[in-house]
């Protein structure tokens, strides 16, 4: 319907707001696309600017996933289309219209889109991410383990969302190509290696 198409467009546009770039600008930090891993996301803002700007980036990136999906849910849009809206928000984050289509990896935004599915699923995902970072120190590996398990968790908790969650996972894994290569080469930076340039 027209409403669904409108929400897909709105989600893409919301996703296109690169929180990392804007927040770094506000805090007079360098553009995250030119420092550290070059990724405009929470992890890299943490490398460049520390805890507070990173937390703000995380919050904004999560919300731009949550708001369009939740809004669409309350507008009565069907689960399958909610999945498309979630994917649109993540595609906006990855290929932002307002930032030269040079975006991030959509980990936080995907989590934001999955929050409305339920606190049981999101709690499991957050716990998986935190546990992996705690054990290994790699933010990217934590994201990969989390999105790898997300379809499995979803299948058991809310099977009707398995297909869109799997699609989100594939998108995020594909976006971590350079991280996967670095992990295999043993060149990936740990989260506490602050300010280390990886490129
Ligand atoms: O949130 C993105 C994370 O999984 C990897 O970020 O900056 O280490 O490539 P980065």
């Amino acid at each position: 319907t027209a409403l669904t198409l409108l929400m897909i467009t709105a989600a893409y546009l919301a996703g296109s707001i690169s929180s990392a770039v804007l927040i770094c600008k506000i805090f007079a930090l360098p553009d995250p696309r030119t420092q550290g891993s070059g990724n405009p996301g929470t992890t890299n803002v943490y490398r460049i600017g520390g805890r507070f700007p990173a937390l703000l980036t995380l919050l904004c990136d999560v919300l731009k996933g949550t708001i369009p999906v939740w809004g669409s849910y309350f507008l009565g849009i069907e689960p399958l289309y909610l999945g498309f809206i979630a994917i649109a928000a993540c595609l906006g984050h990855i290929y932002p219209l307002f930032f030269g289509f040079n975006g991030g990896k959509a980990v936080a935004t995907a989590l934001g889109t999955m929050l409305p599915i339920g606190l049981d699923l999101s709690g499991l995902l957050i716990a998986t991410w935190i546990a992996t970072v705690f054990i290994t120190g790699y933010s990217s590996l934590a994201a990969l383990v989390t999105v790898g398990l997300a379809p499995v968790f979803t299948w058991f908790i809310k099977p009707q969302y398995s297909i869109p969650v799997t699609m989100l996972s594939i998108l995020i894994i594909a976006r971590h190509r350079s991280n996967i290569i670095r992990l295999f080469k043993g060149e990936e930076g740990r989260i506490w290696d602050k300010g280390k340039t990886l490129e």
Side-chain angles (χ1 to χ4, degrees):
T1 69
L3 181 65
T4 307
L5 283 175
L6 186 78
M7 290 313 289
I8 288 175
T9 312
Y12 171 73
L13 293 177
S16 287
I17 304 167
S18 184
S19 319
V21 177
L22 293 175
I23 286 163
C24 282
K25 208 167 267 179
I26 293 168
F27 284 86
L29 296 165
D31 188 320
R33 292 170 299 180
T34 65
Q35 298 273 310
S37 69
N39 187 59
T42 300
T43 305
N44 208 31
V45 172
Y46 178 71
R47 286 187 193 104
I48 300 165
R51 215 169 283 177
F52 186 62
L55 216 65
L56 265 183
T57 304
L58 177 66
L59 182 72
C60 294
D61 280 346
V62 166
L63 285 179
K64 66 191 200 185
T66 307
I67 293 168
V69 173
W70 222 336
S72 305
Y73 172 77
F74 283 112
L75 290 169
I77 292 173
E78 307 272 319
L80 176 69
Y81 296 112
L82 292 180
F84 291 144
I85 291 160
I87 290 165
C90 292
L91 284 174
H93 179 84
I94 296 172
Y95 303 109
L97 181 65
F98 315 124
F99 295 84
F101 300 101
N102 182 8
K105 297 174 185 171
V107 178
T109 303
L111 172 69
T113 67
M114 290 187 268
L115 278 179
I117 297 179
L119 287 180
D120 38 9
L121 177 67
S122 14
L124 266 175
L125 296 174
I126 295 167
T128 306
W129 192 91
I130 292 175
T132 315
V133 166
F134 199 76
I135 296 166
T136 70
Y138 297 119
S139 168
S140 56
L141 184 63
L144 289 165
V145 171
T146 305
V147 300
L149 289 172
V152 182
F153 293 155
T154 310
W155 178 258
F156 283 108
I157 297 172
K158 292 272 164 69
Q160 66 270 38
Y161 293 107
S162 295
I163 291 172
V165 168
T166 306
M167 288 168 74
L168 282 177
S169 295
I170 292 170
L171 194 63
I172 292 172
I173 293 169
R175 203 54 189 171
H176 279 77
R177 230 182 68 109
S178 57
N179 299 89
I180 296 169
I181 294 170
R182 284 199 294 266
L183 283 164
F184 273 110
K185 286 187 180 162
E187 290 170 359
E188 182 71 310
R190 290 204 161 74
I191 205 158
W192 42 77
D193 296 338
K194 279 176 67 182
K196 203 179 146 203
T197 299
L198 302 169
E199 306 285 86

